[in-house]
């Protein structure tokens, strides 16, 4: 199955699931915006340890052109391996779709990519599935991003 077809099937499944979500289970958009801001701050400050509490224990990162990475420590190491090459990262939430103890978000990001001392603007899209933890926190369970 091609990537667009797989993404289309996933989105259809997610939209179908949102139709049967319990009433009142919607995550506050400000909570998820705050989580996105913490993620941006961790990347922008090269504080990769700050990423650890943002991901669920079984979280999976699916970066473009690379193998999936599973678990907070492996995800932290993936981003730490990039060092300070990504700067001024900013996530803008576009959609928040509640599904009981889960929330599906889409967003647009902008950043500056610095390679060999040359800076270039980049942008793209992010899809995240977040899971509400027993303590009420939202943690990233699945994280996919693509550059435009």
């Amino acid at each position: 199955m091609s990537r667009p077809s797989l993404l289309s099937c996933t989105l259809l499944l997610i939209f179908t699931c949102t139709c049967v979500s319990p009433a009142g289970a919607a995550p506050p958009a400000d909570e998820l915006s705050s989580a996105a801001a913490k993620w941006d701050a961790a990347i922008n400050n090269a504080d990769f340890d700050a990423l650890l509490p943002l991901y669920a224990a079984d979280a999976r990162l699916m970066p473009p052109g690379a193998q999936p990475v599973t678990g907070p420590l492996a995800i932290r190491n993936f981003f730490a391996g990039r060092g300070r090459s990504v700067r001024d990262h900013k996530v803008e939430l576009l959609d928040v779709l509640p599904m009981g103890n889960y929330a599906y978000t889409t967003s647009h990001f902008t950043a500056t990519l610095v390679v060999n001392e040359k800076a270039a603007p980049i942008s793209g899209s992010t899809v995240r599935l977040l899971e509400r933890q027993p303590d009420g926190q939202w943690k990233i369970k699945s994280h996919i991003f693509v550059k435009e």
Side-chain angles (χ1 to χ4, degrees):
M1 188 178 283
S2 68
R3 282 184 188 246
S5 296
L6 181 59
L7 181 58
S8 297
C9 289
T10 302
L11 290 175
L12 179 61
L13 176 63
I14 289 170
F15 286 124
T16 302
C17 290
T18 61
C19 293
V20 296
S21 294
D30 58 342
E31 280 184 73
L32 298 177
S33 292
S34 175
K38 288 177 185 176
W39 196 94
D40 282 338
I43 294 298
N44 290 331
N45 296 324
D47 181 6
F48 304 109
D49 287 341
L51 293 172
L52 293 169
L54 301 179
Y55 286 91
D58 59 348
R60 181 170 295 229
L61 173 70
M62 291 166 273
Q67 290 296 312
V69 179
T70 303
L73 188 57
I75 293 169
R76 176 236 178 260
N77 292 343
F78 172 85
F79 287 110
R82 294 177 165 212
R84 295 196 55 89
S85 63
V86 176
R87 300 183 187 161
D88 304 319
H89 197 279
K90 174 76 172 120
V91 170
E92 175 191 356
L93 286 181
L94 301 175
D95 297 301
V96 175
L97 302 171
M99 299 175 290
N101 283 329
Y102 295 92
Y104 166 83
T105 65
T106 61
S107 60
H108 183 260
F109 72 85
T110 57
T112 301
L113 181 64
V114 179
V115 178
N116 297 326
E117 298 183 29
K118 293 182 183 178
I122 60 170
S123 61
S125 299
T126 300
V127 176
R128 292 180 179 156
L129 176 65
L130 294 98
E131 180 179 44
R132 186 187 302 269
Q133 304 301 298
D135 65 1
Q137 288 185 355
W138 289 95
K139 292 195 176 192
I140 302 166
K141 188 160 184 79
S142 179
H143 180 178
I144 304 167
F145 67 94
V146 295
K147 292 185 278 186
E148 296 173 342

